[in-house]
Amino acid sequence: MAMKSGTFLRSLASDGAGSAMLEFTIALPMLLLLVIGTMDLARFGLEKSALLQGARAGVQYGMAAPNDTAIINLTAQNATGLSGVTATSRKFCECTPGVTASCSSTCSGGGLPKSYINVMLTKTFTSVLGGPTVRFDSPATWIPPMSVSGSVTMIIP
């Protein structure tokens, strides 16, 4: 027996069997972007934490041997547990905060300048999404961070 067209359209409109699959199909790309973005943020945070830990280890060694920059850098790089890390360290002195002075001179007030050791680590960061810029639509672009860095400065007693 044939169904009238108006009755068929009403029954089709009231049937919700495929709507859950359609909604899931629409929501899936957004959910994947959220998951991938969270993974990238977590990886960035872990690498930043490892670089700060390495910089602290380098500064601690530098407090004992402030002029041995090669070993300070190597200590800092090894302490991160990451590959591709670049380390730079420097010793500097200040009489007043923010004004660099010679470490062998005396300050205008008559005292010796404070000695500091600074270790900075950098590493290239590669996003899970790939290239340097990801386009989602014409106005929407996302530029992931290209590098991660960590720096620690301490006074040498």
Side-chain angles (χ1 to χ4, degrees), residues 80-105:
T80 64
L82 302 172
S83 61
V85 176
T86 305
T88 55
S89 60
R90 67 185 180 106
K91 177 185 172 185
F92 64 96
C93 297
E94 292 180 347
C95 286
T96 56
V99 180
T100 305
S102 171
C103 292
S104 59
S105 66

Side-chain angles (χ1 to χ4, degrees), residues 24-101:
F24 180 73
T25 305
I26 291 171
L28 183 63
M30 291 181 275
L31 291 173
L32 285 175
L33 282 174
L34 284 172
V35 168
I36 290 171
T38 303
M39 285 173 39
D40 257 0
L41 182 62
R43 284 181 51 243
F44 185 85
L46 286 172
E47 288 184 8
K48 177 80 170 183
S49 178
L51 291 179
L52 288 171
Q53 181 63 33
R56 277 190 291 272
V59 164
Q60 286 174 346
Y61 180 84
M63 290 175 66
N67 296 321
D68 196 358
T69 57
I71 302 297
I72 292 170
N73 293 342
L74 186 63
T75 301
Q77 287 171 328
N78 290 339
T80 64
L82 302 172
S83 61
V85 176
T86 305
T88 55
S89 60
R90 67 185 180 106
K91 177 185 172 185
F92 64 96
C93 297
E94 292 180 347
C95 286
T96 56
V99 180
T100 305

